Amino acid sequence: MGEFKVHRVRFFNYVPSGIRCVAYNNQSNRLAVSRTDGTVEIYNLSANYFQEKFFPGHESRATEALCWAEGQRLFSAGLNGEIMEYDLQALNIKYAMDAFGGPIWSMAASPSGSQLLVGCEDGSVKLFQITPDKIQFERNFDRQKSRILSLSWHPSGTHIAAGSIDYISVFDVKSGSAVHKMIVDRQYMGVSKRKCIVWGVAFLSDGTIISVDSAGKVQFWDSATGTLVKSHLIANADVQSIAVADQEDSFVVGTAEGTVFHFQLVPVTSNSSEKQWVRTKPFQHHTHDVRTVAHSPTALISGGTDTHLVFRPLMEKVEVKNYDAALRKITFPHRCLISCSKKRQLLLFQFAHHLELWRLGSTVATGKNGDTLPLSKNADHLLHLKTKGPENIICSCISPCGSWIAYSTVSRFFLYRLNYEHDNISLKRVSKMPAFLRSALQILFSEDSTKLFVASNQGALHIVQLSGGSFKHLHAFQPQSGTVEAMCLLAVSPDGNWLAASGTSAGVHVYNVKQLKLHCTVPAYNFPVTAMAIAPNTNNLVIAHSDQQVFEYSIPDKQYTDWSRTVQKQGFHHLWLQRDTPITHISFHPKRPMHILLHDAYMFCIIDKSLPLPNDKTLLYNPFPPTNESDVIRRRTAHAFKISKIYKPLLFMDLLDERTLVAVERPLDDIIAQLPPPIKKKKFGT
Amino acid sequence: MAALEEEFTLSSVVLSAGPEGLLGVEQSDKTDQFLVTDSGRTVILYKVSDQKPLGSWSVKQGQIITCPAVCNFQTGEYVVVHDNKVLRIWNNEDVNLDKVFKATLSAEVYRILSVQGTEPLVLFKEGAVRGLEALLADPQQKIETVISDEEVIKWTKFFVVFRHPVLIFITEKHGNYFAYVQMFNSRILTKYTLLLGQDENSVIKSFTASVDRKFISLMSLSSDGCIYETLIPIRPADPEKNQSLVKSLLLKAVVSGNARNGVALTALDQDHVAVLGSPLAASKECLSVWNIKFQTLQTSKELPQGTSGQLWYYGEHLFMLHGKSLTVIPYKCEVSSLAGALGKLKHSQDPGTHVVSHFVNWETPQGCGLGFQNSEQSRRILRRRKIEVSLQPEVPPSKQLLSTIMKDSEKHIEVEVRKFLALKQTPDFHTVIGDTVTGLLERCKAEPSFYPRNCLMQLIQTHVLSYSLCPDLMEIALKKKDVQLLQLCLQQFPDIPESVTCACLKIFLSIGDDSLQETDVNMESVFDYSINSVHDEKMEEQTEILQNGFNPEEDKCNNCDQELNKKPQDETKESTSCPVVQKRAALLNAILHSAYSETFLLPHLKDIPAQHITLFLKYLYFLYLKCSENATMTLPGIHPPTLNQIMDWICLLLDANFTVVVMMPEAKRLLINLYKLVKSQISVYSELNKIEVSFRELQKLNQEKNNRGLYSIEVLELF
């Protein structure tokens, strides 16, 4: 159908942060993930594992512990000594409170969800009450001599277990006294010099305490008598994490060798009620340390230094063997980190603490499918814009004309004017940004670059007029009264008339930019929006959801288009629905109104609405060029979905002009090359 | 028993049935949906369970459909031919046949044939065959003539035999019938002459066929009312030679010889056929089901409004035109028995009962009597079982088994175990197996003379046991030195601790050859090395010579030179003899295949005596040489140890016993040989490494073409 020149870009030197903590919430089926740079992400496991919320990181905020409390409240604690609560609606940090125990190594919410425990560097265990607005310090437990590295509540809430260096303490919650102190054997491969760090503890209903430690052991203790019951040596390196299922019949541990072990409580014989813990399965889905694990009713979840988030389903718990029962490995963020200036062929790359501006190269050559063309000019690294201060960048954008760059951190909004003189570029910052613009979640320029749209974390949408070097605030669309809902995605029509915004509750609102009022709301859908765009001329809004459905909504008519109804009636091809990465970008061909361009991490697709839809018998992926002999067959089997899987993993793909595409790839090998080396050494004669 | 259920009418509109009835009824890609092509211009898709049409398509006025529409099971599309030469291809979304895909062919089509699992075939009237896709690539391609002038295709059928398509078609010329069999995997076309047999004046009215492994069973209904069978080989002995096939009489006088209307025959399953026609002169038309194995009439149904003499059978449904309506009669066949068949025959009031006396190819009357006696015996057995059940209604087999193992003899226990294992698996199968093994082991410990090894072997082979479920099992087998059972445990159990693995290894290395001789061992992992064992004595002689020549340390260099001179010969001889007998090799291979963790295995390996370590090292060295002899670095045999397993175990033994190996003369010599072998391999690799630079330069030249680096501009075309 179409021939394109593709700029294949691999110099986006993006490396995800390692995973430090995961916390699973049973009520909402959501997973909170904290990374080593302080970022926190929320995954909705019911919405096809979509990363629906995101809290940017901070240099001084190294999260060591993450937990959910009553009422869907999320808390984190770290080495800066602060306990932080997250606002899951406004997508910001509600407050941060110093625990005054030095760095915090561990945290656990009580089984009722109304109390919070933190374990500190100075050996103190601190109890906080969770009040409706904040948390309030209640008291200290007996102080220990070493840092408290792990905490676990007994399900009754009367006792806790605390893991430290060389010992485990059992505390009575009411009195705060230590009732037992269990010394951990220091034996490590016959050498007894090293300390033994108890990286994790779990307190079971029957009084058993399970500990994991740096000697490679999983140990079972009787909390009533303070004695060791059983010991499993499972690794030659640290066992760093443990998570127990709610039913207490299964738990999972992660090791520094990258292995995850599954333990199950099984009957000894068929006639007896006696049961014992048996190590049943090892899983090797990681190459580096597994710093954290979680146990959902249906899956084992693990993460660590290799930056992958792995969901490994428990097949015996899966009732229907379908695609959902497959292993999931999430590496890339479910949002776009790249923006593009089509006019000047520039790419803006967003990193945690800086932005990079690159100009694409050019060629005068032509060729046939698959050729690599010789360059007449190579790509240029034009600009390296470093942020000041410790906060991570939330979002960034370059204007289509290439004259404006905007980005935001949690507390500051920055707007820069770029001037081009021949091949030189100069940058000038626009000063005196208004305070209400700080902490933007999404930034978008209009097609003609005269307007700037900002979604703030207070739920407001701001429209800013840009002309010359000046800045004028035109209007703010406020959220409906009583709600504060952060807008995560923006889309603007090329004619500048319409602005679409989608929030965390999966609703999409469309605003009339000329008349400055709400135009309509797209009917609600159960799954989050992953990408949106408004088509030129027709002003159809194309929406991609996390369950891989794509809808087309006519903004002028305020209803779904005929093509969209046809698609919904027939249904998408099952291979399309089985993709496990969300669509993150949608664009359109300027001269072909029937074409929609979209991509996820592993495929790029042009949907041609003038062609029939594929049914499940049709071959969805058709990579081979047709030959003359089978022209008849090709005409009969042609369908709407033109898919290419050449570029992967694909972080960004867009149309620069009618015949030119840009594809930004991030090969996994380039990421692995920048990780620290894993531990795994063969030794002879030991 | 074969039974015809209540019929129902499909067509809500009157089908256009020409003088010859419908063109055809064909399956679609959905169960329960069928394509009906009438004699006019229309194709209708019916859903049988709903008894209503789902879709209808017609060709233009003036055009006429000339062969039945079929479904292309690979694409879900429908294909029909109109005006003999025009193909139309469409699917459910299409409304009008005028606008669908069209291809005009260069010759007239007799039939399109389509079955699940392969592409449709187009059979032309001149006998040529084409795949549909090949035909669509060039619709005007030349179509050759296969059959002679005035020869006419009468009937055709398409099979898939062992995943290969087979087409058979029957032609007629001047009263003579021929069968053509076209194989598509070998492109062989075979022609057979069908001899008519006794009655040369008969005319074949209807054909049907079924297929088994080697033959196509072609059944024909003649004008004399008899059904004949002809066996056509699928793979002829001599394809080039024209062959004749004789038909044999299968059923006699199933329909009246002078019926006015047409008759039809179709195969229902291996034992049953359906016949449409008048069983007696002047009687109504009737659908009858006959058992061709017992030559009995199973059931029949009268069709008073008359039929077109056409019959189709798909799935469980028979289709026919009854009067003006397309009628469906469901067909069911329960598992039949001789008594049931005979009983049905005796009590049948249906027309055609009188033909029972015309049995052909039936067994002797004694056989018939024997059948009756068997039925009687069967009933008596049933009564006895009922008595048994009434005696002990509450005891399931598993409880029976568990009580037996506590006190009965080994023989009795073995019988009970076999009984239990022969049952269909009960919900508590796994736990009962575990309890049984546990009970047997407890009794073994209580009574040292009790050792039901056959039972244990069978229970182990159920694949539900593991070491942790019954740790005493291997412990007892180790005490008894039962290497056969230990080998089986090593193969079946996934979770054997390393200490137990090493205990097995000790026994395998220390058991005497004479004890091993009497033992049955699974030899699957061992290749036959016995042809080389004659060299054992020579090796011993050489060993003696070497020992005599072994001098004090200051002469070591000279000895090395001598050894270097002798090296090729020594290695050749050593490499051709296995240092252990085959059964011991099989046991050791079970060790090599076992899972282990290095950390926990090493301490136990240190406990093995030095001579056993040496023997095991010799064996591993031998296996390593065998691996190195061929390019794939694998051992011959069904399930041999892999090179990695061999290397890992050599490393383990050296790690655990390095000082012992270095100190012992025999082991030291072995180590020197191993060192030399590895050294020679390293030198080969280093020579290869020297030319690596050249390879790299070549690769670089290639890469300069393909190297995309961090940025490139490419051409992409989407199809």
Side-chain angles (χ1 to χ4, degrees):
Chain A
M1 62 177 296
E3 193 178 86
F4 297 95
K5 285 179 186 172
V6 182
H7 294 260
R8 191 169 192 168
V9 171
R10 286 184 168 155
F11 43 72
F12 180 30
N13 197 31
Y14 168 76
V15 179
S17 284
I19 291 171
R20 181 60 193 87
C21 296
V22 295
Y24 175 71
N25 184 315
N26 209 343
Q27 272 72 52
S28 61
N29 200 22
R30 281 175 169 76
L31 186 81
V33 175
S34 76
R35 294 184 183 261
T36 53
D37 65 349
T39 303
V40 172
E41 299 155 354
I42 311 288
Y43 290 83
N44 187 343
L45 306 192
S46 302
N48 211 11
Y49 299 82
F50 182 61
Q51 186 192 96
E52 66 174 11
K53 293 173 185 169
F54 162 76
F55 299 88
H58 191 290
E59 267 177 1
S60 72
R61 193 183 298 143
T63 305
E64 283 294 317
L66 201 63
C67 72
W68 296 91
E70 189 182 30
Q72 307 297 313
R73 291 168 73 176
L74 180 67
F75 294 89
S76 78
L79 299 185
N80 62 353
E82 287 178 336
I83 302 168
M84 290 190 308
E85 183 174 1
Y86 297 87
D87 187 335
L88 299 181
Q89 294 304 314
L91 298 190
N92 58 13
I93 292 172
K94 202 181 279 186
Y95 57 85
M97 175 180 288
D98 200 316
F100 296 104
I104 296 173
W105 287 93
S106 51
M107 180 167 63
S110 64
S112 63
S114 61
Q115 290 173 312
L116 203 61
L117 268 184
V118 296
C120 300
E121 169 76 13
D122 65 355
S124 61
V125 177
K126 297 173 185 295
L127 184 67
F128 290 82
Q129 289 293 334
I130 301 179
T131 59
D133 291 333
K134 274 196 155 191
I135 60 175
Q136 181 171 322
F137 175 74
E138 183 163 312
R139 67 170 181 276
N140 274 321
F141 285 10
D142 287 357
R143 187 159 160 194
Q144 308 299 304
K145 72 185 186 205
S146 301
R147 64 172 72 118
I148 306 295
L149 288 156
S150 46
L151 285 168
S152 179
W153 289 75
H154 187 275
S156 67
T158 57
H159 290 79
I160 65 158
S164 188
I165 298 178
D166 289 334
Y167 62 89
I168 299 162
S169 301
V170 182
F171 289 91
D172 176 55
V173 172
K174 188 171 291 228
S175 64
S177 303
V179 296
H180 284 297
K181 187 167 177 178
M182 289 130 29
I183 306 296
V184 174
D185 183 12
R186 293 172 166 214
Q187 284 289 324
Y188 178 81
M189 303 300 297
V191 183
S192 62
K193 293 177 186 172
R194 290 169 44 147
K195 297 180 176 181
C196 183
I197 305 166
V198 181
W199 288 116
V201 286
F203 214 147
L204 306 185
S205 302
D206 63 357
T208 303
I209 294 174
I210 310 170
S211 70
V212 297
D213 58 42
S214 61
K217 290 177 187 159
V218 175
Q219 291 180 311
F220 296 82
W221 309 81
D222 182 354
S223 66
T225 58
T227 55
L228 177 65
V229 174
K230 194 168 175 62
S231 189
H232 293 260
L233 181 60
I234 63 168
N236 290 326
D238 302 42
V239 185
Q240 294 175 307
S241 45
I242 179 170
V244 182
D246 285 354
Q247 288 178 325
E248 295 187 349
D249 60 354
S250 168
F251 71 84
V252 59
V253 299
T255 72
E257 292 171 326
T259 315
V260 171
F261 288 97
H262 188 204
F263 282 73
Q264 284 175 291
L265 194 61
V266 298
V268 175
T269 56
S270 68
N271 290 331
S272 77
S273 60
E274 185 193 346
K275 293 186 172 184
Q276 66 181 7
W277 286 100
V278 174
R279 187 192 81 189
T280 53
K281 300 181 185 74
F283 305 112
Q284 188 82 42
H285 302 304
H286 295 275
T287 55
H288 291 62
D289 309 30
V290 179
R291 298 300 308 274
T292 180
V293 289
H295 199 309
S296 84
T298 56
L300 307 178
I301 303 162
S302 55
T305 306
D306 64 2
T307 79
H308 303 301
L309 183 62
V310 173
F311 297 84
R312 206 280 178 186
L314 296 168
M315 297 308 293
E316 55 270 23
K317 296 254 169 62
V318 173
E319 292 166 0
V320 178
K321 296 293 189 288
N322 56 17
Y323 189 78
D324 284 338
L327 179 84
R328 291 273 184 152
K329 214 176 207 186
I330 299 177
T331 303
F332 297 105
H334 291 171
R335 63 187 188 281
C336 196
L337 298 175
I338 297 156
S339 56
C340 176
S341 161
K342 299 183 182 184
K343 184 182 172 190
R344 292 186 180 275
Q345 302 212 339
L346 305 174
L347 289 177
L348 185 70
F349 296 142
Q350 175 184 319
F351 295 84
H353 293 282
H354 72 280
L355 302 174
E356 288 182 8
L357 186 66
W358 290 75
R359 176 191 286 135
L360 296 174
S362 60
T363 181
V364 295
T366 57
K368 60 183 190 297
N369 185 39
D371 283 353
T372 299
L373 304 175
L375 298 171
S376 57
K377 187 167 70 159
N378 208 330
D380 272 333
H381 183 190
L382 297 182
L383 192 65
H384 183 109
L385 187 56
K386 193 174 185 321
T387 63
K388 300 185 178 69
E391 293 168 336
N392 285 18
I393 296 173
I394 299 173
C395 57
S396 64
C397 195
I398 186 169
S399 64
C401 70
S403 295
W404 301 94
I405 288 178
Y407 75 89
S408 176
T409 66
V410 163
S411 62
R412 296 289 301 279
F413 186 92
F414 298 87
L415 182 63
Y416 292 86
R417 176 87 163 148
L418 276 73
N419 285 307
Y420 300 88
E421 293 180 10
H422 309 304
D423 275 346
N424 291 325
I425 181 170
S426 67
L427 190 74
K428 183 184 177 188
R429 182 176 153 200
V430 177
S431 58
K432 296 173 186 168
M433 301 301 299
F436 56 77
L437 277 190
R438 66 186 189 86
S439 189
L441 295 180
Q442 180 72 283
I443 302 171
L444 190 62
F445 288 92
S446 62
E447 194 77 6
D448 60 1
S449 302
T450 61
K451 285 191 176 63
L452 172 67
F453 305 100
V454 178
S456 85
N457 68 358
Q458 296 304 315
L461 282 177
H462 298 278
I463 305 181
V464 174
Q465 178 83 42
L466 305 169
S467 54
S470 75
F471 171 97
K472 181 184 175 185
H473 182 244
L474 288 185
H475 187 71
F477 293 109
Q478 296 296 342
Q480 293 163 4
S481 60
T483 66
V484 175
E485 181 191 354
M487 293 294 151
C488 304
L489 280 175
L490 296 178
V492 66
S493 63
D495 60 9
N497 277 334
W498 310 106
L499 174 71
S502 95
T504 53
S505 70
V508 178
H509 306 291
V510 182
Y511 299 92
N512 188 322
V513 176
K514 297 289 200 295
Q515 300 176 23
L516 298 177
K517 68 181 186 182
L518 178 68
H519 176 67
C520 65
T521 299
V522 178
Y525 189 69
N526 292 336
F527 285 82
V529 177
T530 66
M532 286 193 311
I534 301 179
N537 302 322
T538 61
N539 282 326
N540 289 335
L541 174 64
V542 177
I543 307 172
H545 291 274
S546 69
D547 62 344
Q548 310 296 13
Q549 297 283 338
V550 178
F551 292 90
E552 192 185 47
Y553 184 86
S554 172
I555 291 173
D557 298 339
K558 299 186 186 179
Q559 63 180 6
Y560 288 111
T561 62
D562 288 338
W563 182 81
S564 191
R565 294 180 202 277
T566 303
V567 175
Q568 292 304 305
K569 184 185 300 176
Q570 171 164 337
F572 282 92
H573 196 285
H574 68 280
L575 292 181
W576 178 268
L577 298 176
Q578 277 174 13
R579 291 177 298 107
D580 63 353
T581 53
I583 290 169
T584 51
H585 191 78
I586 300 175
S587 56
F588 303 93
H589 197 288
K591 294 291 173 55
R592 297 182 181 169
M594 299 299 268
H595 285 190
I596 304 172
L597 290 78
L598 19 73
H599 77 87
D600 66 13
Y602 295 103
M603 69 94 206
F604 163 66
C605 178
I606 296 180
I607 299 181
D608 186 341
K609 293 187 288 179
S610 65
L611 290 173
L613 296 166
N615 57 48
D616 270 4
K617 281 191 166 63
T618 314
L619 201 66
L620 183 67
Y621 304 114
N622 189 24
F624 302 112
T627 55
N628 292 332
E629 294 81 14
S630 61
D631 188 58
V632 168
I633 297 171
R634 186 170 71 88
R635 284 198 277 110
R636 287 196 299 109
T637 60
H639 59 75
F641 287 71
K642 309 300 177 187
I643 292 174
S644 167
K645 284 173 160 274
I646 294 171
Y647 313 105
K648 53 191 174 189
L650 192 54
L651 296 195
F652 182 79
M653 194 138 195
D654 205 347
L655 200 65
L656 294 177
D657 59 42
E658 293 171 37
R659 286 286 187 222
T660 310
L661 292 163
V662 57
V664 179
E665 287 179 295
R666 188 53 179 157
L668 279 180
D669 288 346
D670 295 353
I671 293 176
I672 291 167
Q674 302 193 38
L675 297 179
I679 74 166
K680 197 92 181 175
K681 288 185 173 63
K682 170 72 176 174
K683 291 192 177 82
F684 271 98
T686 56
Chain B
M1 275 298 291
L4 297 174
E5 298 185 356
E6 188 67 30
E7 78 267 24
F8 52 90
T9 301
L10 263 196
S11 179
S12 53
V13 298
V14 175
L15 288 169
S16 172
E20 296 182 359
L22 295 173
L23 278 189
V25 177
E26 295 284 340
Q27 285 177 292
S28 82
D29 57 336
K30 291 179 174 57
T31 314
D32 197 41
Q33 291 182 18
F34 297 90
L35 282 170
V36 177
T37 310
D38 71 12
S39 290
R41 302 166 23 244
T42 308
V43 179
I44 303 172
L45 181 70
Y46 277 102
K47 189 168 168 63
V48 165
S49 57
D50 291 355
Q51 302 177 17
K52 64 171 68 173
L54 296 180
S56 176
W57 301 273
S58 294
V59 293
K60 267 195 295 196
Q61 196 82 28
Q63 295 172 342
I64 184 165
I65 294 179
T66 46
C67 71
V70 300
C71 176
N72 183 343
F73 294 100
Q74 292 183 326
T75 63
E77 294 170 315
Y78 308 123
V79 189
V80 80
V81 176
H82 69 81
D83 301 307
N84 288 309
K85 287 186 175 182
V86 183
L87 281 179
R88 294 283 187 176
I89 301 176
W90 77 99
N91 57 37
N92 278 321
E93 285 79 38
D94 293 305
V95 171
N96 198 324
L97 287 191
D98 291 347
K99 295 186 170 58
V100 304
F101 176 79
K102 171 185 175 183
T104 305
L105 310 176
S106 65
E108 292 191 349
V109 175
Y110 174 75
R111 185 79 85 210
I112 306 179
L113 303 130
S114 186
V115 294
Q116 286 270 9
T118 186
E119 74 165 325
L121 295 183
V122 179
L123 175 63
F124 290 88
K125 288 189 178 180
E126 281 77 28
V129 185
R130 292 286 188 278
L132 180 66
E133 299 301 333
L135 194 59
L136 292 176
D138 182 12
Q140 289 289 317
Q141 63 186 269
K142 186 178 187 309
I143 305 296
E144 72 276 9
T145 298
V146 171
I147 63 179
S148 60
D149 284 343
E150 297 179 359
E151 193 173 349
V152 179
I153 297 177
K154 285 295 189 180
W155 180 85
T156 181
K157 194 164 172 68
F158 190 26
F159 303 97
V160 174
V161 182
F162 292 117
R163 301 193 307 276
H164 295 304
V166 179
L167 174 73
I168 176 173
F169 58 95
I170 309 294
T171 63
E172 186 259 327
K173 178 178 182 179
H174 305 328
N176 296 314
Y177 289 89
F178 306 94
Y180 291 79
V181 178
Q182 170 82 63
M183 309 289 295
F184 285 91
N185 56 333
S186 60
R187 318 299 306 177
I188 293 174
L189 177 69
T190 311
K191 180 180 180 182
Y192 301 94
T193 303
L194 298 181
L195 298 183
L196 290 180
Q198 312 166 30
D199 188 351
E200 295 294 333
N201 293 323
S202 67
V203 175
I204 298 178
K205 299 263 191 172
S206 181
F207 287 96
T208 189
S210 61
V211 65
D212 67 13
R213 292 170 172 273
K214 293 181 178 176
F215 290 97
I216 297 172
S217 170
L218 178 72
M219 283 175 276
S220 56
L221 180 58
S222 270
S223 57
D224 59 0
C226 300
I227 296 178
Y228 297 89
E229 181 184 46
T230 305
L231 292 180
I232 303 175
I234 294 173
R235 288 179 175 76
D238 188 352
E240 296 303 323
K241 182 184 173 186
N242 274 345
Q243 304 178 44
S244 299
L245 302 170
V246 181
K247 63 185 181 182
S248 54
L249 182 64
L250 209 59
L251 288 172
K252 198 169 175 184
V254 297
V255 294
S256 167
N258 59 348
R260 300 183 311 279
N261 296 327
V263 292
L265 170 71
T266 187
L268 301 175
D269 51 41
Q270 252 184 334
D271 295 331
H272 297 91
V273 296
V275 178
L276 190 68
S278 303
L280 294 174
S283 75
K284 297 277 192 291
E285 288 194 53
C286 203
L287 176 69
S288 310
V289 177
W290 291 81
N291 185 314
I292 58 178
K293 191 171 179 182
F294 301 128
Q295 286 132 18
T296 56
L297 175 69
Q298 299 278 279
T299 183
S300 66
K301 191 180 283 287
E302 202 171 70
L303 302 168
Q305 299 182 46
T307 71
S308 62
Q310 295 168 305
L311 188 63
W312 299 273
Y313 176 65
Y314 297 112
E316 293 175 342
H317 297 98
L318 286 152
F319 296 84
M320 71 203 71
L321 207 55
H322 185 201
K324 293 293 186 182
S325 303
L326 181 62
T327 300
V328 179
I329 302 183
Y331 165 77
K332 288 278 195 293
C333 183
E334 309 293 330
V335 177
S336 64
S337 66
L338 180 60
L342 292 174
K344 177 64 177 175
L345 185 65
K346 281 178 177 295
H347 293 88
S348 172
Q349 300 299 319
D350 293 330
T353 316
H354 66 284
V355 305
V356 170
S357 59
H358 296 277
F359 281 163
V360 179
N361 298 329
W362 190 246
E363 289 180 354
T364 60
Q366 285 83 6
C368 200
L370 283 174
F372 278 109
Q373 288 171 16
N374 288 337
S375 298
E376 290 297 327
Q377 286 173 6
S378 177
R379 291 199 193 98
R380 284 199 291 273
I381 291 167
L382 282 170
R383 288 196 214 100
R384 196 187 305 147
R385 281 182 194 160
K386 285 175 186 174
I387 292 169
E388 286 180 5
V389 170
S390 63
L391 282 178
Q392 294 172 328
E394 303 298 333
V395 182
S398 54
K399 287 292 196 298
Q400 176 77 23
L401 175 59
L402 292 176
S403 65
T404 301
I405 61 179
M406 300 318 294
K407 55 185 186 294
D408 284 353
S409 68
E410 283 188 30
K411 281 295 176 195
H412 194 193
I413 292 171
E414 194 171 330
V415 169
E416 291 295 327
V417 166
R418 285 181 194 279
K419 273 193 207 171
F420 178 74
L421 294 180
L423 292 175
K424 282 181 179 289
Q425 290 205 358
T426 54
D428 59 345
F429 181 79
H430 283 56
T431 50
V432 171
I433 295 290
D435 290 343
T436 303
V437 173
T438 306
L440 289 174
L441 295 177
E442 282 168 7
R443 195 171 160 188
C444 284
K445 290 195 285 187
E447 310 171 27
S449 65
F450 179 78
Y451 186 58
R453 70 192 302 279
N454 287 338
C455 279
L456 295 172
M457 301 273 292
Q458 286 183 65
L459 292 166
I460 291 167
Q461 291 179 75
T462 58
H463 297 279
V464 306
L465 297 177
S466 66
Y467 176 86
S468 54
L469 184 57
C470 47
D472 294 334
L473 177 57
M474 290 188 81
E475 186 182 315
I476 290 172
L478 285 164
K479 281 178 185 170
K480 303 272 187 184
K481 294 191 193 296
D482 187 346
V483 295
Q484 183 187 8
L485 194 129
L486 288 173
Q487 186 198 29
L488 192 61
C489 289
L490 286 167
Q491 288 168 348
Q492 301 289 345
F493 290 173
D495 60 339
I496 299 173
E498 282 77 0
S499 56
V500 176
T501 304
C502 279
C504 293
L505 180 60
K506 280 183 196 174
I507 288 184
F508 293 168
L509 290 167
S510 65
I511 188 170
D513 282 357
D514 49 347
S515 305
L516 215 48
Q517 213 71 273
E518 304 154 8
T519 311
D520 276 332
V521 167
N522 182 338
M523 304 292 284
E524 195 181 56
S525 67
V526 183
F527 187 66
D528 186 1
Y529 306 124
S530 63
I531 57 176
N532 301 319
S533 63
V534 295
H535 297 292
D536 281 340
E537 293 181 0
K538 291 186 181 179
M539 200 175 91
E540 287 180 7
E541 289 175 8
Q542 286 175 1
T543 305
E544 290 169 4
I545 292 167
L546 285 172
Q547 284 173 359
N548 291 340
F550 193 77
N551 284 329
E553 216 174 62
E554 57 266 20
D555 292 333
K556 189 174 177 183
C557 287
N558 296 336
N559 287 334
C560 287
D561 292 339
Q562 289 171 19
E563 287 183 25
L564 281 173
N565 292 334
K566 292 179 183 177
K567 173 188 161 185
Q569 192 180 358
D570 287 357
E571 283 195 0
T572 304
K573 291 195 174 177
E574 284 173 28
S575 72
T576 56
S577 62
C578 184
V580 298
V581 298
Q582 266 191 305
K583 289 185 176 179
R584 199 190 301 275
L587 297 174
L588 293 176
N589 286 352
I591 297 284
L592 298 184
H593 285 308
S594 297
Y596 63 87
S597 180
E598 197 179 303
T599 305
F600 306 114
L601 190 66
L602 283 174
H604 300 291
L605 282 179
K606 295 175 197 287
D607 298 335
I608 298 181
Q611 62 268 28
H612 293 156
I613 292 291
T614 307
L615 182 63
F616 197 18
L617 264 181
K618 280 180 178 176
Y619 177 62
L620 292 170
Y621 177 60
F622 167 75
L623 292 181
Y624 182 67
L625 289 177
K626 283 295 179 192
C627 272
S628 304
E629 275 173 6
N630 59 66
T632 60
M633 302 291 271
T634 55
L635 287 170
I638 297 170
H639 191 227
T642 65
L643 179 63
N644 279 352
Q645 283 167 342
I646 296 164
M647 293 298 295
D648 284 347
W649 272 92
I650 291 176
C651 295
L652 281 167
L653 288 179
L654 293 179
D655 279 346
N657 299 277
F658 190 69
T659 52
V660 171
V661 168
V662 168
M663 295 294 287
M664 283 182 60
E666 189 180 18
K668 183 179 179 182
R669 188 173 60 78
L670 188 69
L671 207 61
I672 288 169
N673 288 337
L674 193 56
Y675 174 78
K676 285 175 183 174
L677 178 63
V678 172
K679 193 177 173 186
S680 69
Q681 286 181 334
I682 289 173
S683 68
V684 169
Y685 290 133
S686 83
E687 292 297 321
L688 291 177
N689 200 47
K690 288 175 184 174
I691 61 176
E692 185 200 349
V693 177
S694 306
F695 287 141
R696 200 180 285 132
E697 290 299 320
L698 287 175
Q699 199 178 14
K700 214 175 278 183
L701 289 180
N702 275 337
Q703 264 184 349
E704 281 171 8
K705 293 182 181 177
N706 296 327
N707 183 25
R708 299 191 173 90
L710 295 181
Y711 178 69
S712 63
I713 301 181
E714 300 169 10
V715 180
L716 171 71
E717 192 169 355
L718 288 177
F719 301 105

